[in-house]
Amino acid sequence: MGSALAVDIDPIIIKGSKFFYSSNNTQFYIRGVAYQDDYTGNSSSSYIDPLSNPTLCKRDIPILQELNTNVIRVYAIDPTKDHSTCMNLLAAAGIYVISDLSNPAQSIDRSDPTWETSLYTRYTDVIDELIQYNNTLGFFAGNEVSNDIATTDASAYVKAAVRDTKAYIKSRGYRSIGVGYATNDDSDIRVNMADYFNCGTEDESIDFWGYNIYSWCGESSYTKSGYDDRTEEFRNYSVPVFFSEYGCNTVSPRKFTDIEALFGDKMNDVWSGGIVYMYFQTDNDYGLVSAIDSTSISKLPDFTYYSSQIARATPTGTNKASYTPTNTALQSCPAVSANSWLATSSPLPPTPNESLCTCMENTAGCVVKDSVSSSDYADLFSTVCGLTSCDGILHNGTTGVYGAYSMCGAKQQLDFILDKYWKEQGKKATACGFGGSATTTSTVQATGSCSVLMKEVGTEGTGTVTSKSTGTQVAESAGVSAVGSVGSASLGRSVVVGVGAWQVGAYVVTAVVAGLGMVLL
């Protein structure tokens, strides 16, 4: 984590549906480049932090300047690393950063989405690291999470992430900075997606909208590409919209003739520019340059065409002082329909609350053994949920029903249902066995704020937390005191295990749907 001795650069602010420099009246248009080498998305846990290697930044920033770049988009950074050198070099070059908050190993999974404590921590850690630099323009809470009708329920969890990261920024007293979302261009969901993330209240709606669009291929046109229709769809949108990725490569080399349209009179009153995909050449063949070694690159044919086109992108824009937004109304939320949209707009998933999860975990008398592999959790969830109600950990973005502990880690959730079943059986030793996977441990009593939280959610875990939490309480400060022991003690169990939370949802739902009754222990 860096300590910013920040280069003086004017922060970018949002007014209405446009970006502006904060200290003058000039509208800011994004002339951006996606900048992340060897990023594998959801297929791998590995990634290279593009802002933590000063040598590479010194190599690439002059090249980005040649491309008239004023924004780079990075898809994953490591918040524990020092980014001060790269961020200050970028600031000195007049380049801002939009960063995704997730990484390949920690993101909202469209196939079984959840918004939970460890991911919340990841998001807030990235914010804490990058907010110290004035050339951080904003954050993406998700990228193409919902990509067809069947996965639109995942948008409820992304919108909860937008709500909670915005609230976190405000609670920390940070400067005003936007949190947005980058969507794909799917004809079946694109209108509903844009409406959903811009409906309800401003506290839970996006601050800007990114559009990943690859419809202008080769010598296309404003109408043939559909740019005309997309522009009309967003003409009355209340927040800035821009291309968060663009640059179709079905025709090579790419000549980027869409740049003239994007920054021209037909589009520049609606769109705030765009981010071309991408700087580095990889197997997907979208690169502007090819890295030779740590100090040199080779410019590819796309580089020359892009450079020529972006150099002519000089829209005048709107004067901030004389600009009074008229498109201030939020959109109407799309209705849930099996044929078109699966995410309810209210309620959204609960805010991750590590204090509640820790309180619950430390008051549980029957818990999963530390020796049990997280890969075995799924079977254990399925078994226990055949014996007791698991409503306290279930979550459903379509119905809007969320257990209070649905935002806890998988081990914490397992402890909750194991302990719940054990207590329902009168704390019999045989009710905390499960083939040697569970064990009794020291019993504790919740007091103070911990007691308040536990009472609010109830023994079934289906209540709603109304008390405010700092999100950093541990057992002692939350009011947990030991009152005795049963069986072998195992204190200090406040560990969030990084297993895919999808196991909880998928296997619990399977058990419920199958109508499991008694399952032999």
Side-chain angles (χ1 to χ4, degrees):
M1 182 177 294
S3 177
L5 296 174
V7 171
D8 187 21
I9 188 172
D10 200 8
I12 302 302
I13 63 169
I14 295 171
K15 181 179 180 181
S17 60
K18 304 181 188 302
F19 293 111
F20 292 94
Y21 290 96
S22 61
S23 66
N24 60 57
N25 293 321
T26 304
Q27 185 177 350
F28 182 85
Y29 287 92
I30 295 172
R31 300 186 304 273
V33 177
Y35 181 75
Q36 186 117 19
D37 193 15
D38 195 28
Y39 181 73
T40 51
N42 292 325
S43 62
S44 170
S45 62
S46 65
Y47 65 95
I48 298 172
D49 183 339
L51 302 180
S52 64
N53 189 324
T55 298
L56 299 184
C57 289
K58 290 174 183 177
R59 178 195 67 186
D60 293 331
I61 289 174
I63 308 301
L64 290 166
Q65 287 180 287
E66 287 187 44
L67 295 172
N68 206 24
T69 304
N70 63 4
V71 169
I72 61 170
R73 177 183 177 183
V74 296
Y75 292 83
I77 67 130
D78 182 346
T80 67
K81 293 185 177 179
D82 181 3
H83 302 96
S84 57
T85 299
C86 286
M87 290 299 291
N88 284 322
L89 287 170
L90 288 164
I95 298 174
Y96 295 81
V97 174
I98 300 177
S99 177
D100 288 49
L101 294 171
S102 61
N103 68 33
Q106 291 179 289
S107 63
I108 296 173
D109 181 355
R110 69 172 68 94
S111 66
D112 192 69
T114 186
W115 173 233
E116 43 78 33
T117 52
S118 63
L119 187 55
Y120 175 83
T121 298
R122 157 74 195 181
Y123 275 34
T124 55
D125 284 350
V126 173
I127 291 170
D128 289 341
E129 171 59 11
L130 293 182
I131 194 68
Q132 59 188 317
Y133 305 102
N134 280 346
N135 58 325
T136 300
L137 190 154
F139 304 100
F140 281 126
N143 178 71
E144 298 189 3
V145 178
S146 296
N147 62 0
D148 57 21
I149 293 172
T151 58
T152 51
D153 63 315
S155 287
Y157 300 85
V158 181
K159 192 167 183 179
V162 171
R163 174 200 65 199
D164 294 339
T165 50
K166 289 178 63 170
Y168 178 79
I169 289 168
K170 185 176 181 179
S171 71
R172 297 286 292 175
Y174 291 146
R175 65 178 171 90
S176 178
I177 190 169
V179 178
Y181 178 77
T183 189
N184 72 320
D185 181 33
D186 184 283
S187 60
D188 291 332
I189 64 172
R190 59 191 172 204
V191 172
N192 280 339
M193 286 289 293
D195 289 350
Y196 183 77
F197 280 92
N198 187 238
C199 77
T201 67
E202 290 187 1
D203 288 342
E204 63 189 26
S205 299
I206 42 90
D207 298 312
F208 54 77
W209 187 247
Y211 207 92
N212 298 345
I213 183 168
Y214 293 89
S215 61
W216 187 304
C217 303
E219 297 293 340
S220 190
S221 69
Y222 180 59
T223 54
K224 183 179 179 181
S225 65
Y227 279 22
D228 57 339
D229 293 331
R230 304 293 81 74
T231 299
E232 290 308 309
E233 287 166 2
F234 287 100
R235 189 166 297 281
N236 294 313
Y237 212 59
S238 67
V239 299
V241 295
F242 58 92
F243 289 180
S244 41
E245 289 178 6
Y246 72 100
C248 172
N249 70 347
T250 59
V251 178
S252 184
R254 297 183 290 173
K255 296 186 177 180
F256 299 102
T257 53
D258 52 345
I259 289 176
E260 182 179 1
L262 177 59
F263 291 91
D265 292 342
K266 292 180 179 179
M267 297 182 70
N268 68 26
D269 189 44
V270 173
W271 301 91
S272 294
I275 300 170
V276 70
Y277 192 83
M278 60 176 297
Y279 183 77
F280 295 101
Q281 177 72 323
T282 63
D283 292 341
N284 62 20
D285 201 30
Y286 280 95
L288 300 177
V289 307
S290 179
I292 297 174
D293 54 38
S294 62
T295 60
S296 59
I297 59 93
S298 173
K299 297 175 183 176
L300 300 175
D302 284 4
F303 182 98
T304 302
Y305 285 107
Y306 176 77
S307 177
S308 175
Q309 291 285 353
I310 201 67
R312 297 195 292 270
T314 56
T316 302
T318 300
N319 182 282
K320 181 175 65 178
S322 60
Y323 169 56
T324 301
T326 56
N327 49 333
T328 56
L330 298 180
Q331 310 300 307
S332 297
C333 295
V336 171
S337 167
N339 298 320
S340 60
W341 187 254
L342 302 179
T344 189
S345 58
S346 180
L348 294 174
T351 300
N353 188 332
E354 183 58 42
S355 297
L356 172 61
C357 298
T358 298
C359 286
M360 173 273 292
E361 188 178 28
N362 282 291
T363 56
C366 176
V367 300
V368 63
K369 286 183 177 179
D370 291 336
S371 60
V372 175
S373 170
S374 59
S375 63
D376 294 325
Y377 284 3
D379 290 338
L380 196 50
F381 272 116
S382 183
T383 298
V384 182
C385 289
L387 300 171
T388 186
S389 168
C390 284
D391 288 349
I393 64 173
L394 292 177
H395 51 89
N396 190 309
T398 301
T399 63
V401 175
Y402 305 98
Y405 297 115
S406 64
M407 50 76 201
C408 297
K411 183 180 184 299
Q412 292 170 321
Q413 292 180 335
L414 196 49
D415 285 348
F416 168 69
I417 60 173
L418 285 168
D419 182 68
K420 178 174 175 289
Y421 174 71
W422 176 64
K423 289 174 179 174
E424 290 171 349
Q425 299 302 309
K427 299 183 180 181
K428 296 177 182 178
T430 54
C432 190
F434 294 92
S437 295
T439 183
T440 55
T441 187
S442 296
T443 58
V444 292
Q445 179 177 319
T447 60
S449 60
C450 185
S451 176
V452 172
L453 290 171
M454 297 286 286
K455 287 178 180 177
E456 287 178 342
V457 303
T459 57
E460 294 293 316
T462 54
T464 301
V465 171
T466 57
S467 303
K468 290 187 177 181
S469 166
T470 63
T472 57
Q473 292 172 313
V474 294
E476 290 75 17
S477 62
V480 178
S481 56
V483 296
S485 62
V486 285
S488 58
S490 178
L491 298 177
R493 300 190 311 276
S494 303
V495 179
V496 178
V497 178
V499 305
W502 62 268
Q503 294 178 325
V504 178
Y507 281 89
V508 169
V509 170
T510 299
V512 172
V513 171
L516 292 180
M518 290 299 294
V519 179
L520 295 178
L521 301 184

